[in-house]
Amino acid sequence: MASFRKLPSGNTRAEVSRQGRRLSKVFPTKQAAKEWAARQEFLILDAADKPVDHGTFAQAMDRYAREVSPTKRGEWWEVLKLKNFCADPIAETNMAKLTPELFAKWRDKRSTQVKPATVAREMQLMSAVLTCARREWGMIAINPMSDVRRPKKPESRDRLPTEDELLRLAHAAGDDLTTATARAFHAFKFALETAMRSGEIVALTRDRIDLKRRVAKLTHTKNGRSREVPLSSEAVRLIEALPQDLDPVFGLDNRLIDALWRKVRDKAKADGLNFHDSRHAAITRLSTKLDVLALARMVGHSDLRMLQVYYNESAENLAKRLD
């Protein structure tokens, strides 16, 4: 449908919305605006009657996994997810026939299988594929996912490891750092000291650590910006305890640390504890030692509001600090 609005300048803005496409243009007269709108509606409907075969959604996801995902830090997760998506019936839909309704049905079905946060992340990945297909590959004119409502964002996690859980985790992992299992928990303890993410820890090489200055330089970060992380005396001790012939220093990769952490956690019966919860615990503890700007710089947050997501000190502890 076309609509027309009189502007303060005396011109007329024509707006066309058909087949999911939205167009807008300003004209000196309403008649010119009507003629343009009628022409655009005809072109949109005519194109809809003659769809171009650009392949299936599965082919687009496969191309994205081969060409785009390798440029990202989260390549492994993306490729795995895209492979799983290709097994879903929606993957066999022709790109020209993808609609918001199809993705809404997929969302509702998926929401019965996993948590809302997982659905939201998966929808974000699907949308990235469709955006790339629209902008760079010319496979579609619009991204049908843009009109699909995302699941409600869940409240921020407030899960912190307890002292008892840390003892059980240590027992489950063992203290022989020549084994990858022990080093996975060792990496968790290092994260508790530094607030570093697991991907940053496993990418840490010896030439990026200066133990005299007590600084670790990160080049592989989530936001792509390098930063230097100050190391506590305990963080230095944890590094020095590792076998010296390992490089990267923890001798792990993203897949291995994820699998081993889950194994140790389950054995220790630390139900619901994620590796990333170490970042929450570290930021909460560090907030008592560093001011907000120094803390944001250390953990790599350019938006200070993000610190509120990770800061989880209890009201009881805050009350003690008021004395």
Side-chain angles (χ1 to χ4, degrees):
M1 294 290 293
S3 60
F4 307 92
R5 288 191 295 122
K6 191 76 170 180
L7 302 178
S9 62
N11 294 334
T12 298
R13 177 181 293 279
E15 297 176 332
V16 175
S17 179
R18 295 297 294 266
Q19 299 289 330
R21 295 190 61 185
R22 295 180 177 84
L23 304 173
S24 176
K25 193 172 182 179
V26 176
F27 296 88
T29 66
K30 187 173 183 179
Q31 182 59 36
K34 286 183 175 181
E35 293 175 356
W36 175 84
R39 175 63 178 168
Q40 296 307 312
E41 287 186 322
F42 168 79
L43 292 174
I44 292 172
L45 293 173
D46 185 59
D49 292 336
K50 303 173 181 178
V52 178
D53 185 5
H54 284 302
T56 64
F57 187 31
Q59 291 171 324
M61 290 190 287
D62 179 68
R63 181 176 177 181
Y64 190 93
R66 288 184 286 104
E67 298 182 10
V68 181
S69 293
T71 67
K72 299 183 178 182
R73 290 271 308 162
E75 175 189 2
W76 173 72
W77 179 86
E78 280 198 359
V79 172
L80 180 63
K81 283 294 181 181
L82 290 170
K83 182 179 179 180
N84 291 337
F85 292 159
C86 286
D88 191 277
I90 197 174
E92 296 307 314
T93 305
N94 188 281
M95 291 291 286
K97 295 182 179 180
L98 289 172
T99 64
E101 290 78 13
L102 284 175
F103 286 108
K105 290 180 180 179
W106 177 90
R107 175 203 61 205
D108 294 343
K109 176 184 175 183
R110 188 63 172 152
S111 295
T112 65
Q113 303 167 338
V114 295
K115 295 180 179 180
T118 300
V119 178
R121 285 194 298 270
E122 293 178 347
M123 290 179 69
Q124 184 176 357
L125 176 56
M126 282 185 169
S127 185
V129 174
L130 294 167
T131 296
C132 187
R134 177 180 68 83
R135 291 179 178 176
E136 301 186 17
W137 303 335
M139 299 175 73
I140 50 177
I142 61 167
N143 178 354
M145 184 72 84
S146 61
D147 290 328
V148 182
R149 176 179 53 82
R150 302 293 200 273
K152 184 179 179 181
K153 188 176 181 180
E155 294 185 5
S156 301
R157 284 177 61 87
D158 59 359
R159 180 71 162 88
L160 300 177
T162 65
E163 290 300 323
D164 182 60
E165 285 177 328
L166 290 174
L167 290 174
R168 297 203 308 268
L169 288 164
H171 179 73
D175 56 8
D176 183 1
L177 293 178
T178 62
T179 68
T181 300
R183 293 198 302 274
F185 177 62
H186 204 71
F188 185 81
K189 292 193 292 183
F190 186 73
L192 289 173
E193 290 294 319
T194 62
M196 288 169 58
R197 302 175 179 90
S198 62
E200 296 169 343
I201 292 174
V202 298
L204 197 58
T205 54
R206 295 197 175 275
D207 62 325
R208 297 294 181 181
I209 300 176
D210 188 333
L211 294 182
K212 290 184 179 180
R213 293 175 57 227
R214 288 173 45 179
V215 169
K217 185 173 182 180
L218 306 183
T219 56
H220 298 81
T221 64
K222 184 178 180 180
N223 59 21
R225 293 190 294 269
S226 61
R227 75 177 192 275
E228 289 190 335
V229 177
L231 302 177
S232 65
S233 56
E234 176 61 13
V236 170
R237 188 195 70 78
L238 291 170
I239 290 292
E240 291 177 335
L242 288 165
Q244 297 301 301
D245 59 341
L246 295 177
D247 202 20
V249 293
F250 284 88
L252 303 168
D253 58 28
N254 283 313
R255 298 188 191 189
L256 191 56
I257 194 172
D258 181 64
L260 292 176
W261 165 254
R262 292 173 185 272
K263 176 183 176 182
V264 171
R265 178 198 62 190
D266 294 344
K267 185 177 180 180
K269 299 188 183 305
D271 298 335
L273 186 65
N274 296 334
F275 190 100
H276 197 64
D277 290 328
S278 61
R279 187 165 168 86
H280 292 245
I283 290 176
T284 299
R285 181 179 58 82
L286 290 169
S287 67
T288 65
K289 300 181 179 182
L290 302 174
D291 63 63
V292 65
L293 292 177
L295 180 57
R297 180 176 181 180
M298 176 176 176
V299 303
H301 282 158
S302 56
D303 187 346
L304 296 182
R305 291 174 298 180
M306 283 299 296
L307 290 177
Q308 293 180 314
V309 174
Y310 289 94
Y311 179 75
N312 290 322
E313 189 161 10
S314 68
E316 181 181 358
N317 287 338
L318 289 174
K320 293 177 182 177
R321 291 168 61 181
L322 292 174
D323 293 337

